[in-house]
Each structure stands twice: as structure tokens, then as C-alpha cells.
Amino acid sequence: MTTPPHRPAPVELTLLPIGSAPGDAAPGGCGDGCGCGDGGAGPAHDPLECGLDPDLAALLAEAGLDPVLVEDIAHLTIEEDLDNGVDVTTVATVPEDAVATADFTAREAGTVAGLRIAEAVLSVVCTDEFEVERHAEDGDRVAAGQVLLSVTARTRDLLTGERGALNLLCRLSGIATATRAWADVLEGTATRVRDTRKTTPGLRALEKYAVRCGGGVNHRMSLSDAALVKDNHVVAAGGVGEAFRRVREEFPGVPIEVEVDRLDQLAEVLAEGAELILLDNFTPEETARAVELTAGRATLESSGRLTLAGAPAYAATGVDYLAVGALTHSAPILDIGLDLRAAEGRG
């Protein structure tokens, strides 16, 4: 699994639990291991100091994810579902003190991503501590019918958090599965599949994480951590070489990728010292010629006209990356369900 490209440290955010104000008791999500230290009990508890379970936060950080961002998304997910109210169906049908175990189970084969994120969603809705059994890890290939994660908690909490946890888990696993298909096709070549910024607003870090889980490589995370000179920048600057020079002069320490859509532009950007060049809508034959002309002086990335079936032809040219926006903007979900286990003695 590759690591994300270098980028500025994330801004430290404080998160107010849903429905609370500073000084209120936390509505849930805290257990004995929570960083707030008091399990969310007592009016003196400041919810702004509360976070995910430290062990879960550490696992997220090890995966290259910002635990505060994941916590924020988890809260927003539950807030959207509750809309300042309660889960009326669950409250009406499930006793308050009922406890159950639920299994996250793959309904189809694929590559899983987002298991710890699903845990985070459940953790912010659970009013008591919950137990997890982890049967799979992000990046694993899973089979239909395989249990991925088991959670024991109050039944009401499980059902209230079910859809939010599954929405993220299915979405991210779908991206990982789509990416894995490209990675498998490219296996044995020097070409890697890479994502784009065509991501869901607010979920970019998670979706790019899912690409890594599927064996892909991340492109830039934002407009600020790397430059990509595209056709409209070229028009505005008066030429591809001029556009490259302006970015290099204004931001000398920022990596610069330059898009070209014709072979005759290649020599110009190579002369300027471009180290990463995007070949836009080149055919495999044109790509092979570009690789030959570049002769290792720059890293080359292909975009446009790319299909899974056509990937081997591009990989055969020796191009370094295939940029595939569909990994994040068009990947179907991986079907995963959450099923409550039947109570003992029930027929």
C-alpha cells in the first residue's frame, strides 16, 4: 500500500458532539478508553475535548487518515440521519436496554476499505461502550458471505448507526474494488493506476485512502500541494512553456505537472525542465512515441480514452501512470450488509 504524497499538516479541528454545546454532557460515543477520561458522564464534561477511542484513532493515523477528520465525518453522517430528532422506528420497536451483536457481511466479492471508519460512525452514536471483532482488514480481498466486522452494542445504537456506517463502508469498498481491477490488469508492468481530484466533496481523503487500499496511487490531494498546468492555464498564460515558467517562478518548491495534448508540445516542456508530464487523450501509439522522445527525462502520465480493457496497451508503452477519474467518480458500491444475530433460543 502506498503512502499519500507529502502535504501540509491538517488543521487541528475541535469537534462538538451532535446536539451538544460546550459544557453539556456528551450524548454518546465515549467509553472507558476515550481521551476525555470520564466516559461522557457528568455535567462537567466538555464535549470539545472528546474524541474517538485512542486505539481506533491510532489505527486511523497508521492508515494515513486524520482521526479528527474521520470523527467529523462520522458525526455529520449521524447528524444528517437524525436531523435533530431521534430514530423513531427504532425507538418505537426496540427496548432501551436491549443489546445485540451485528455482523458486517460482504454480499459480493471485492476489496474492502473503510472498516475502521464504519467503527468510528458507530462509536459516535453508541451511548455505551461497544465491542468489536475484526475479521478482515482494509485492502483485503473478500468473498461473498464473508463476515468482515462484528459489533456488540445497544441494539438501538446499532440500528441508528447502521445506514451511515454502511454508506461509507460500501462506497469506499466500491472504490477499492474498482481500483483493484486496474491494479490487477497492470500487475507485472511498471505502470501504476492513479486517481484524480474527481472526488465527493468532503470525502476526498477517505476516497483517496480507498484507492490506496485497492493498490492505486494518489495524485495531488488539493490545489495547493502540487501544480497541474492544464489547457486553460496554457491559454491564459499564452503558451505551455510560459505557463510552466510562471508556476515555477511563483512557487519554486511546488511539484509541477504539465498537460500536453500534442506531441509537438512535449519538446517545449521538456526543455523547460518539466519533471512530470500529463499526456491528454494520446493514443497508445502516440504514447509510445512520447515515451521514446522523453527518454526517461520526465515521468509520464496518461489520461483520457482509458478503459480497463485498453490498459494493457498503454502499460506496454512504458508510461508511468494511468490517471483514472472513474475510480472515485463512477465506482459502484460494494454490497455489504449489517445483520443482527438472532437471539439465543429464537427459532
Side-chain angles (χ1 to χ4, degrees):
M1 185 180 299
T2 60
T3 57
H6 174 74
R7 57 185 186 277
V11 177
E12 291 190 5
L13 302 174
T14 52
L15 182 67
L16 183 67
I18 300 161
S20 297
D24 289 347
C30 299
D32 292 340
C34 179
C36 70
D38 67 0
H45 171 65
D46 183 352
L48 290 177
E49 297 179 0
C50 185
L52 299 176
D53 177 86
D55 291 338
L56 177 57
L59 290 173
L60 292 167
E62 288 172 10
L65 293 168
D66 180 355
V68 175
L69 173 64
V70 173
E71 183 188 27
D72 197 9
I73 291 171
H75 276 272
L76 290 172
T77 298
I78 298 301
E79 183 177 51
E80 183 176 54
D81 252 355
L82 292 180
D83 194 22
N84 296 313
V86 297
D87 179 354
V88 295
T89 311
T90 296
V91 168
T93 59
V94 179
E96 185 176 5
D97 59 351
V99 174
T101 297
D103 297 315
F104 287 86
T105 304
R107 307 284 197 236
E108 58 184 328
T111 297
V112 69
L115 288 167
R116 304 295 83 80
I117 295 162
E119 284 184 39
V121 173
L122 291 178
S123 77
V124 302
V125 75
C126 283
T127 52
D128 293 310
E129 285 195 79
F130 63 97
E131 297 178 358
V132 296
E133 295 180 64
R134 296 164 180 154
H135 309 294
E137 293 298 331
D138 287 351
D140 286 354
R141 298 177 191 258
V142 299
Q146 182 174 340
V147 176
L148 312 176
L149 176 70
S150 300
V151 181
T152 301
R154 284 205 328 159
T155 310
R156 285 187 176 185
D157 296 337
L158 288 172
L159 296 180
T160 296
E162 172 184 4
R163 178 42 51 199
L166 285 173
N167 281 349
L168 291 171
L169 180 57
C170 293
R171 168 71 178 154
L172 299 180
S173 296
I175 291 171
T177 299
T179 305
R180 178 61 64 189
W182 284 83
D184 285 348
V185 165
L186 296 173
E187 188 173 3
T189 75
T191 304
R192 303 292 302 277
V193 64
R194 192 148 81 151
D195 57 24
T196 70
R197 284 173 36 253
K198 296 175 182 176
T199 54
T200 307
L203 297 181
R204 176 170 297 165
L206 303 192
E207 292 181 346
K208 282 179 171 282
Y209 165 70
V211 167
R212 300 196 301 273
C213 290
V217 179
N218 292 151
H219 200 279
R220 59 180 178 167
M221 297 295 290
S222 70
L223 292 171
S224 63
D225 60 15
L228 176 54
V229 177
K230 296 178 68 67
D231 51 359
N232 285 331
H233 301 107
V234 171
V235 171
V240 63
E242 179 63 21
F244 177 82
R245 284 192 295 273
R246 290 186 187 182
V247 176
R248 184 170 57 185
E249 290 171 3
E250 185 74 17
F251 301 99
V254 171
I256 307 172
E257 183 171 13
V258 183
E259 178 185 271
V260 299
D261 52 24
R262 303 189 314 272
L263 274 171
D264 62 279
Q265 295 174 319
L266 192 60
E268 182 180 0
V269 297
L270 285 170
E272 290 292 339
E275 297 179 349
L276 180 57
I277 300 171
L278 183 68
L279 309 174
D280 186 43
N281 285 308
F282 277 41
T283 65
E285 293 74 23
E286 291 169 332
T287 303
R289 179 59 176 157
V291 171
E292 180 182 357
L293 292 172
T294 301
R297 289 176 289 170
T299 299
L300 298 179
E301 181 170 25
S302 292
S303 70
R305 301 187 182 185
L306 301 178
T307 64
L308 193 58
Y314 280 91
T317 69
V319 71
D320 298 285
Y321 295 115
L322 302 184
V324 181
L327 298 181
T328 52
H329 72 61
S330 297
I333 68 163
L334 184 69
D335 190 6
I336 300 171
L338 183 141
D339 302 308
L340 292 184
R341 295 182 188 173
E344 291 185 7
R346 182 181 301 173

